[in-house]
Amino acid sequence: MANSVRIGIATAGILALALTACSGPGGDDSADGPVTLEFWAWGSNIDKRVEVWNQANPDIQVNISQPASGADMPVRVLSAVRAGDGPDIAQAEYTQLPTYVSAGVLAPLDSAKQDLEEAYSPTVLESVSFDDTVYGVPQDLGPALFVYRNDLFAQYGLTPAASWEDFRALAEQVRTLDGDRYLFNFSSIDADQFMGLALQNGAQWWDYADEQWGVDIDSAETREVLDFWQGMVEDDLVSTYQTGSPEQIEATASGRVLGTIAGAWAPGPLLNQYPDTVGLWSAAQIPQWDTADPRVFARGGSANVILKESPHYDQALEFITWLNASDEGAEGLVEVNKFTGALHGQEIDRTPPELMPEDTTYWPSATEAASKLVTVQWGPNTQVAFTAITDELGNAIEGTSPWADVLPKVQDIVEKDLAG
């Protein structure tokens, strides 16, 4: 890690305190009588699974609510914890987990570690572990796939690319077609995707050891990825619409952009946004830097965590392991259209997504992608890095700042944020 720096921060002490304070079940778990767990979550249809639990467990009732979602959830949870009014359980995106851990508000789940090791792949369990301590029970997962318009690929005799070299050649071929078409849209605001592409190439932007954070965003692996996309942009081989902009939506709806890289959850949002394209999409594995050693990154996914101030640790752990890690729970998550983190759920034979009603290969492809996931250590200021990537990539794409400045600037911003 030539450019890595190590930064000791105050949160290290907080982390140690958290580990000590939550070394096992606490609160009034030994108290008799029914309890009601407060569960803050935004995931669609999880309330249906809560209903199943509540019917079977009158002594451990769960009250699910959605006070916030996405990036707003950690802010809401941490504010509530400081006010002494936090929930027992919260849903956390994998990228958000270090924020909670560094704040010292989570209960370690090591008492369930053996069961979790049986339910999840080591890579998925690593995504909720910090310094060898488990802090969350994985719920859903978004292994990346190349999702493309099969009708247009067939019309023009195109084949999804196996390597990034082939991807560039395919993009060049697409630019020769009629209709000003692009193979792919590279948006500066998809910072998680850019980080994932770097992870696929062997980068690790953060690590934590000896009570210090290491930051290595400006690495050779990430620079190689940035150089690849700089060439694609400068040679007009990809469009650069902002994701979610009217221009990007029109280009996708009309078929001017032929494909995207998305998590296994992609069929749902695509169906909602482009309902007239049912049956016109397929999925393939994402291109590789080394086809002999395929590596995939995840886009999205979340876990359930227990707040250390919860007086019902045992009951909360029992509920979230049932919901996500048990065979019954994983089967239930599949029923509500989740791609589960648990291996059992991934192996269930399920009907194709509504967007691709004839594509029986979609879910097996997602499972194959999940089996190749790279290990990732998210940082305590992942969102700071994402914001900086969005800004600096945007400047480079617009030509207001050199591409060579992107990674040094992001590295500097993240280091200074960690140092406080």
Side-chain angles (χ1 to χ4, degrees):
M1 298 198 304
N3 293 299
S4 176
V5 298
R6 304 205 69 79
I7 302 169
I9 56 176
T11 53
I14 297 173
L15 172 62
L17 178 63
L19 291 168
T20 302
C22 297
S23 58
D28 67 350
D29 280 350
S30 60
D32 295 329
V35 302
T36 297
L37 303 173
E38 294 297 327
F39 178 24
W40 289 4
W42 70 87
S44 59
N45 296 319
I46 295 301
D47 57 324
K48 296 179 181 176
R49 300 304 301 152
V50 169
E51 289 177 9
V52 173
W53 168 270
N54 283 342
Q55 290 174 4
N57 296 273
D59 289 341
I60 307 176
Q61 293 290 284
V62 177
N63 180 40
I64 186 170
S65 60
Q66 184 182 336
S69 62
D72 294 331
M73 182 64 98
V75 177
R76 181 70 178 87
V77 171
L78 294 177
S79 297
V81 169
R82 282 194 289 270
D85 193 28
D88 298 284
I89 306 164
Q91 182 179 3
E93 295 181 5
Y94 296 124
T95 57
Q96 299 166 348
L97 201 62
T99 300
Y100 287 110
V101 174
S102 294
V105 300
L106 297 186
L109 308 182
D110 284 343
S111 60
K113 190 171 184 178
Q114 184 173 351
D115 290 339
L116 298 180
E117 287 174 341
E118 294 176 0
Y120 298 95
S121 71
T123 300
V124 171
L125 197 56
E126 184 69 22
S127 68
V128 294
S129 300
F130 192 89
D131 217 12
D132 295 326
T133 299
V134 177
Y135 283 99
V137 178
Q139 183 166 97
D140 55 353
L141 198 62
L145 293 166
F146 179 64
V147 182
Y148 63 96
R149 285 286 297 269
N150 60 39
D151 58 328
L152 298 174
F153 267 58
Q155 178 181 340
Y156 295 114
L158 307 176
T159 302
S163 69
W164 288 111
E165 181 180 5
D166 292 343
F167 187 85
R168 181 183 168 95
L170 182 60
E172 292 173 346
Q173 184 179 355
V174 170
R175 290 300 288 147
T176 69
L177 304 177
D178 59 9
D180 190 28
R181 300 183 193 277
Y182 290 94
L183 173 62
F184 187 79
N185 183 66
F186 183 72
S187 171
S188 63
I189 67 174
D190 292 335
D192 71 304
Q193 177 176 260
F194 181 76
M195 179 181 172
L197 292 166
L199 291 171
Q200 186 199 26
N201 197 32
Q204 279 292 348
W205 286 9
W206 291 272
D207 75 314
Y208 185 81
D210 299 327
E211 299 187 353
Q212 289 188 318
W213 283 101
V215 182
D216 195 21
I217 295 173
D218 187 12
S219 66
E221 294 85 357
T222 306
R223 284 198 298 274
E224 184 177 16
V225 171
L226 183 69
D227 290 346
F228 176 84
W229 289 102
Q230 177 184 353
M232 296 288 283
V233 171
E234 291 183 342
D235 293 341
D236 192 32
L237 299 180
V238 290
S239 57
T240 56
Y241 307 123
Q242 294 280 293
T243 298
S245 67
E247 294 82 3
Q248 183 264 323
I249 293 171
E250 183 281 329
T252 303
S254 66
R256 281 203 309 109
V257 172
L258 273 61
T260 187
I261 292 177
W265 39 260
L270 286 173
L271 177 65
N272 291 335
Q273 199 148 27
Y274 311 106
D276 295 335
T277 62
V278 170
L280 303 182
W281 296 89
S282 292
Q285 300 300 307
I286 62 173
Q288 298 292 321
W289 294 101
D290 180 0
T291 56
D293 181 23
R295 298 160 60 88
V296 175
F297 59 91
R299 296 200 69 186
S302 65
N304 293 152
V305 296
I306 300 175
L307 281 301
K308 76 173 186 180
E309 297 301 330
S310 167
H312 310 303
Y313 174 91
D314 283 345
Q315 295 91 336
L317 185 58
E318 181 179 351
F319 167 66
I320 64 174
T321 51
W322 169 84
L323 175 65
N324 303 301
S326 72
D327 287 355
E328 179 186 0
E331 291 162 9
L333 291 176
V334 170
E335 290 175 2
V336 296
N337 207 29
K338 303 294 184 187
F339 185 81
T340 68
L343 292 168
H344 179 71
Q346 295 175 18
E347 294 164 353
I348 292 173
D349 186 19
R350 55 197 295 185
T351 57
E354 189 176 349
L355 180 71
M356 322 165 168
E358 306 298 326
D359 189 352
T360 58
T361 68
Y362 184 81
W363 293 118
S365 292
T367 299
E368 179 184 351
S371 72
K372 301 170 183 171
L373 284 177
V374 297
T375 300
V376 55
Q377 170 67 69
W378 300 104
N381 58 350
T382 300
Q383 191 55 51
V384 171
F386 283 179
T387 300
I389 283 288
T390 295
D391 292 343
E392 299 307 325
L393 270 182
N395 291 336
I397 290 172
E398 294 172 4
T400 59
S401 182
W403 284 81
D405 287 355
V406 171
L407 297 181
K409 285 185 175 180
V410 174
Q411 171 98 17
D412 184 62
I413 290 169
V414 173
E415 287 175 1
K416 288 179 177 175
D417 179 72
L418 273 177

